[in-house]
Amino acid sequence: MFLYEQIRADITHGLLPAHTKLPAKRAFAQHLGVSVITVENAYVQLASEGYIYSKPRQGFYVAKISVPSTLHNQTTTHTNTPVTVTKNWRINFSSNALPQGIFPYQTWLSTMRSVIADLDHQGPPDSEPFGCLPLRQAIAEQLHTTRGMNVSANNIVVAAGSQILYNLLIQFLGRSAMYAVEDPGYPRLADIYSAHEVHTAHIPMDEHGIRTDILDMTGARIAHVMPSHQFPTGRITSVPRRYELLAWAASAPNRLIIEDDYDAEFRFSGPPLASLFSIDTTQSVIYMNTFSHTLGSLFRVGYMVLPDSLRDEFFEKMGFYSSTVSTVEQLTLAKFMRSGAYERHVNRLRKHHREVRDALIDSFESTSLASSFRFVGSDAGLHCVLELTDSEHMPDGFTRDVSARLAQRGILLQPIDRYIRHENAKSSEGFVVQYSSLTVEDVRKFVREFVDLCEEELLTSISK
């Protein structure tokens, strides 16, 4: 039912234009991490209601529907969470893929050949369910160097991406506990908790981060937060709020914080703030990160660091699982990191992303809309918010209308209010700008089209 509602919302709000081909059921199910039956049921329901139609041996397509303009101005509810259906977008601001031509595939290939040659002579290492020791040691060294974290390789769990880690934690911590997430927040995280039928509290944010006063009233036992660069708001949790979070965790038994530090490698102004894990003295923080923003989606490798208080119990309860990342890939990544190739790649990637971000901001500042928008959260991470600062002079539903019209031109740019799950979570008017897969020319082209379209939208509004 949830997937059905998301696709229906994208159709009724114009983000999926008429006759757009929907992805194949199996591919879409793998993309979302759900069963094929879930996707099939959603498609069947949408087809029966006339939102989509099928072509024999070709798949499903979006039907042409005349939607009343009032629908575009409805108050956001949990059904407005974005589901990005695969499409050949000209410019995609919802992708976290690597830009083409930047990953050192030849270096990776030569490293892998060296690893395989070593295996041929020495034999494979002992199988470990939560990551081979060389990779866990390399990760521990990297965390010490880049995040100032002194952790043991024995506390690190490696898995095939953050989604696997979320699933492991839910099984370990239990489905009876209430989990708190930020609102607006990362939609896939909330969907995973929902799929496990976990009670979830959506906690609104302010300029300092997640509202700990509301968190305390919910009865939540586990808080899942992104303090270094929150998605989608781009906010950095202030130091006082970080200590409020730690105090919340310490104030009752069995409370935990899951710290998602997913794009900490990318900070463009000043040193990064210390992680929650590094300032926690109560053994209440589980640290999580992933290599997806540096290695790309081809390599599904994520990891978490358990506090000493949970390590032995986790390994005892969850140790029956087999490793979800191939040994060859783990050993290759470990050697890639130890050789310095990973650091050189990240530095090159950081330089590229800084150039794209600077081109985006500089291009926009020279336009007629510069005084009506501002970029928020652009000093860190790979996304920011293009916030509307002059909303009182803009027509109702302005951001949604602009987003829908951009989609018709092949540009995917989501309004930030589409990431809100509940009405009590307030957010400024604006757009979420993920630029990790784009080039300087892409963002300059976008700025030109965005400004032209906004000016057209405003002229149309005035004429009415």
Side-chain angles (χ1 to χ4, degrees):
M1 182 61 69
F2 179 80
L3 179 59
Y4 153 79
E5 290 174 344
Q6 305 317 300
I7 300 176
R8 184 185 65 179
D10 281 350
I11 292 172
T12 57
H13 288 92
L15 294 181
L16 288 175
H19 310 304
T20 297
K21 189 179 188 302
L22 297 178
K25 289 178 288 187
R26 188 173 300 278
F28 198 21
Q30 291 176 346
H31 173 70
L32 297 177
V34 300
S35 69
V36 176
I37 294 297
T38 298
V39 176
E40 183 174 2
N41 288 343
Y43 281 4
V44 168
Q45 182 70 18
L46 289 164
S48 67
E49 296 179 3
Y51 289 102
I52 64 177
Y53 62 94
S54 64
K55 292 182 179 180
R57 295 187 296 278
Q58 294 186 41
F60 287 93
Y61 294 78
V62 176
K64 185 175 182 179
I65 300 173
S66 299
V67 180
S69 59
T70 53
L71 279 181
H72 296 284
N73 302 326
Q74 289 178 346
T75 302
T76 302
T77 67
H78 69 283
T79 61
N80 290 332
T81 306
V83 170
T84 303
V85 177
T86 303
K87 179 180 176 178
N88 292 324
W89 301 100
R90 286 195 299 118
I91 302 175
N92 188 344
F93 284 103
S94 290
S95 171
N96 61 1
L98 288 186
Q100 285 188 349
I102 204 163
F103 186 79
Y105 286 104
Q106 291 301 320
T107 304
W108 180 270
L109 180 60
S110 64
T111 305
M112 180 176 286
R113 285 173 175 160
S114 173
V115 165
I116 293 174
D118 291 342
L119 291 175
D120 187 40
H121 288 90
Q122 303 169 9
D126 293 336
S127 176
E128 299 182 65
F130 300 121
C132 64
L133 183 59
L135 178 56
R136 289 186 282 115
Q137 290 173 332
I139 291 172
E141 292 170 6
Q142 181 204 21
L143 289 174
H144 176 72
T145 302
T146 62
R147 300 295 282 130
M149 294 169 57
N150 295 314
V151 303
S152 169
N154 294 327
N155 291 50
I156 295 174
V157 176
V158 175
S162 57
Q163 295 175 53
I164 300 295
L165 294 171
Y166 297 156
N167 291 329
L168 287 173
L169 280 177
I170 291 169
Q171 293 176 56
F172 173 64
L173 299 175
R175 292 177 173 82
S176 60
M178 178 176 286
Y179 293 69
V181 295
E182 298 159 322
D183 198 2
Y186 181 46
R188 184 167 293 173
L189 172 62
D191 291 344
I192 289 172
Y193 284 138
S194 176
H196 281 276
E197 299 182 348
V198 168
H199 295 292
T200 309
H202 297 265
I203 313 298
M205 304 180 66
D206 61 20
E207 65 273 18
H208 299 291
I210 192 171
R211 292 274 304 274
T212 51
D213 55 335
I214 296 179
L215 173 63
D216 199 43
M217 294 187 294
T218 63
R221 185 167 74 81
I222 299 150
H224 196 133
V225 297
M226 298 179 177
S228 293
H229 188 244
Q230 199 267 346
F231 186 89
T233 65
R235 293 172 187 160
I236 297 173
T237 301
S238 66
V239 171
R241 185 61 55 82
R242 290 170 184 243
Y243 281 102
E244 287 178 22
L245 264 174
L246 294 173
W248 168 83
S251 63
N254 300 318
R255 282 184 175 175
L256 290 169
I257 298 169
I258 301 173
E259 178 184 14
D260 202 328
D261 208 24
Y262 76 104
D263 63 359
E265 296 87 353
F266 301 99
R267 186 166 178 83
F268 307 116
S269 178
L273 291 174
S275 66
L276 280 177
F277 188 98
S278 65
I279 62 175
D280 174 36
T281 60
T282 62
Q283 300 284 304
S284 301
V285 178
I286 299 170
Y287 178 91
M288 296 185 67
N289 207 330
T290 176
F291 289 95
S292 64
H293 283 82
T294 53
L295 300 183
S297 58
L298 289 178
F299 305 97
R300 302 290 299 175
V301 184
Y303 63 91
M304 65 181 172
V305 185
L306 298 168
D308 291 337
S309 59
L310 296 179
R311 178 189 60 202
D312 292 344
E313 183 184 1
F314 182 89
F315 289 156
E316 180 180 346
K317 286 186 176 180
M318 311 303 292
F320 64 88
Y321 278 109
S322 298
S323 176
T324 54
V325 184
S326 77
T327 300
V328 170
E329 190 171 330
Q330 290 186 62
L331 294 175
T332 301
L333 178 54
K335 196 163 190 174
F336 192 68
M337 296 170 73
R338 287 269 173 79
S339 69
Y342 179 75
E343 182 181 3
R344 291 191 294 273
H345 166 61
V346 172
N347 288 338
R348 182 185 178 198
L349 201 55
R350 189 182 295 114
K351 179 177 181 293
H352 169 84
H353 291 320
R354 183 194 293 273
E355 290 173 351
V356 173
R357 183 209 61 166
D358 290 348
L360 175 68
I361 295 174
D362 292 346
S363 298
F364 202 87
E365 286 180 347
S366 62
T367 70
S368 60
L369 295 179
S371 61
S372 300
F373 290 88
R374 66 172 179 173
F375 287 94
V376 177
S378 60
D379 288 339
L382 300 176
H383 79 278
C384 57
V385 174
L386 181 57
E387 184 179 275
L388 183 59
T389 58
D390 193 22
S391 58
E392 61 184 33
H393 294 105
M394 298 294 184
D396 291 341
F398 176 76
T399 55
R400 283 182 173 274
D401 289 342
V402 169
S403 178
R405 293 185 62 186
L406 285 171
Q408 294 171 353
R409 298 185 180 193
I411 300 174
L412 181 59
L413 182 69
Q414 297 278 19
I416 192 170
D417 65 5
R418 290 185 61 79
Y419 294 88
I420 294 176
R421 287 292 175 113
H422 288 283
E423 293 85 348
N424 64 345
K426 304 298 181 184
S427 180
S428 56
E429 287 278 325
F431 304 92
V432 179
V433 183
Q434 290 178 261
Y435 52 84
S436 62
S437 65
L438 303 179
T439 65
V440 168
E441 183 54 38
D442 287 332
V443 296
R444 287 175 176 164
K445 186 183 303 181
F446 157 74
V447 169
R448 291 192 295 269
E449 295 196 40
F450 179 83
V451 171
D452 289 345
L453 194 149
C454 285
E455 289 176 343
E456 289 177 15
E457 191 74 22
L458 290 173
L459 287 174
T460 301
S461 175
I462 293 172
S463 66
K464 291 180 180 178

